[in-house]
Amino acid sequence: TPDDYCGPCYGAGGSDECCNSCDDVKEAYRKKRWTLPQETTFEQCKREARRRELTVLEGEGCNLFGSIEVHRASGNLRIAPASSARHTAQGQPIQNAQQMLS
């Protein structure tokens, strides 16, 4: 938003009042004791929600570094979080990471 941005308060603020954030709009509604409609009604709230989504997406993914020595065989190597990797391909429970590598 531009530096001189003055967001609307959707009738809840004074004539010279700016609501530049979702919280500003909510506060203006609270002061008037108006029922707050869905946040998606307000452009400030929609903009902030989009910004949060983009911030979350920027941190997505992972980088895995290391090496592993395996016997030549066909198949797939799957890397999974420890909480999901509880069983071997044969259905046996994994006791520790060393068991996965042997």
Side-chain angles (χ1 to χ4, degrees):
T1 56
D3 291 337
D4 61 344
Y5 175 75
C6 181
C9 294
Y10 305 95
S15 60
D16 60 342
E17 188 175 351
C18 297
C19 292
N20 294 336
S21 70
C22 188
D23 287 339
D24 291 346
V25 175
K26 290 177 187 179
E27 180 63 18
Y29 268 72
R30 189 192 63 73
K31 285 179 182 174
K32 287 274 192 176
R33 297 181 183 206
W34 290 359
T35 302
L36 190 69
Q38 290 284 336
E39 287 186 9
T40 55
T41 305
F42 309 119
E43 55 116 341
Q44 295 92 327
C45 298
K46 287 191 269 189
R47 182 181 60 246
E48 289 175 18
R50 277 192 309 272
R51 189 176 300 134
R52 279 191 302 273
E53 288 172 8
L54 290 175
T55 302
V56 168
L57 291 176
E58 284 176 3
E60 285 290 312
C62 64
N63 294 308
L64 181 66
F65 296 94
S67 62
I68 185 170
E69 189 174 314
V70 295
H71 296 287
R72 186 177 184 150
S74 63
N76 299 313
L77 175 64
R78 296 183 183 171
I79 307 296
S83 61
S84 297
R86 296 185 183 162
H87 296 87
T88 65
Q90 292 78 27
Q92 300 298 316
I94 295 173
Q95 300 300 320
N96 58 45
Q98 187 61 38
Q99 184 180 357
M100 288 175 56
L101 300 175
S102 55

